[in-house]
Amino acid sequence: MELDTLAKPKAYSSAVEEGQNGSTTRDDRDLMRLGKKPVLKRNFGFMQILGFSCTVLVTWEGILQVSTPSLLNGGPAGVFWGYLLIWIGSISIYTCLSELASMMPTAGGQYHWVAMLSPPSCRKFLSYITGWVTLIGWQATTASSAYLAGTILQSTILMLDTSYSPKPYQSMLLGWSVVLFAVVINTVGSKTLAHFEGLILIIHVLGFFAILIPLVYLSDHGDASIFTTFVNSGGWSTEALSFMVGLPSSVFALVGVDSCVHMAEEVKNASKVVPRAIQISVLLNGTLGLAMLVAYLFCLGNLDTVLEQSATLGYAYLYVFLQGTGSPAGAVTMAMIMWVLGVCCLVGLMAATSRQLWSFARDNAVPFSNTVTKLHPRTLLPNNTIFITAGVAILLSFINLGSAVAFANIVNLSIGGLYASYFIICSLLLWRRIQGIKQYDPTTALVGPDTLQWGPWKIPGALGIANNVFACGYILVMWFFSFWPSSVEVTAQSMNFSSVTFSGIVIFAIVWYLIRGRKSYVGPIVEVTPE
């Protein structure tokens, strides 16, 4: 049954399967208005989901880890001005996502929104493809996080023991260990997940000061030339083009705030809390990221030496820590703080990715959907999708055995997948916004494509349209450059394989749609409706 048919879906009035309070909550009614049956436990309050969102973003940690490509193409000035541009663009994107999360607070996120926003002629196909590119982006982001955790730990060991020779299989096995930890927290420790995320928010903020203070106090400082020093190591025709090529790596530090969208069915007062958490997390993380980036650039030292040492250590910021503190033990302590927060990020990534997969399977969009969607009888959690997400991350890690460069491009693949889904939903929202969307009316029994209405949170009038237009333009530019190689002279080492991987998975999704998906997938299924 398609969402827009409204053809006698069964009523669901049993207080969420005879809930303890004997009546449906506002969250349950909001979800039932979208045709979905409330089955997950709502364990996340505002602080817990804010912590979840902030620790998945890990912006101040991430900008240090992924800044090296931007230093090569863009230089210190490119990293700084590029970050400002990316932060502004991210605020614009996530404002649009906040509006949609308030309208339709479901774990499905992008593919469900597309089904509600698209014209009938392409609704089913666009929704299906959007679900797949979102799945690509989230699975790639989870695998990338595990890869970073493994390689950063190797580089940390190398700072203590210069005779150590890192091997690809070692980073793979170290990545597996953090994946296993994330699985344990998401399954065995599922009852503590919400409290865990709230605690990590505190550590996330305290860790920022634990890195910033010794870095600034102990390091030698550069001058204001960092704001005007551009570098074109890729041999591009202009510095402007080099700057654009280096931008996508910094995007990774601000991508994925829609993680809390995919947790919406486990959040209390989701239609208001999720948008608020998105906005605060991107502002808080963006501010911390900017402060850390400025401090890092002033403490960078000789750029050529830093880039040369990054080839040995793997990450430029580790050499800056080592050079600034003058102590391997001090640098390792700082690095381990960031590593711990990166592992905690993986816990949230696995949760968000598994919920998105579970929701997509709930609407018969992936192979073996009936098995994929089964919930654990005691915890009511989608353990199967957690295990699948972990399995995909482990399988992708084998790529590192053949080519570390190919696996590193999965970072760009996550940007390509998520930004593709963002562009589709933002452009459709702009189209429907211009046509006109009804005001929020909680008495509406079932909200569908023909009865679409705003949620409690939105940007009004012309300001909302202007923001929507800017978001679409920004996404398109970033998505385009995310597939570019790092230099003009393309070799097996400098090739950006994410374009090949992204195209291959999209082709697979289209072929699967033509073979089976168009028969099994009809869009978000109307499971229930309020009485």
Side-chain angles (χ1 to χ4, degrees), residues 95 99 433 439 454-468:
T95 297
E99 293 177 303
R433 180 177 234 131
Q439 294 301 313
W454 290 110
W457 195 97
K458 71 169 185 135
I459 302 297
L463 183 60
I465 294 176
N467 174 71
N468 216 153

Side-chain angles (χ1 to χ4, degrees), residues 58-124:
V58 286
T59 302
W60 71 259
E61 303 94 329
I63 193 61
L64 298 185
Q65 295 171 356
V66 300
S67 62
T68 303
S70 295
L71 287 172
L72 291 168
N73 280 300
V79 174
F80 175 76
W81 297 111
Y83 179 84
L84 287 180
L85 174 62
I86 290 164
W87 188 20
I88 293 169
S90 298
I91 291 172
S92 179
I93 294 172
Y94 297 136
T95 297
C96 293
L97 265 62
S98 296
E99 293 177 303
L100 290 164
S102 185
M103 293 166 66
M104 297 165 274
T106 75
Q110 288 93 312
Y111 85 88
H112 195 130
W113 300 341
V114 168
M116 298 281 275
L117 297 170
S118 300
S121 59
C122 58
R123 180 172 297 150
K124 186 167 72 169

Side-chain angles (χ1 to χ4, degrees), residues 445-457:
L446 191 64
V447 177
D450 299 325
T451 56
L452 195 65
Q453 56 183 240
W454 290 110
W457 195 97

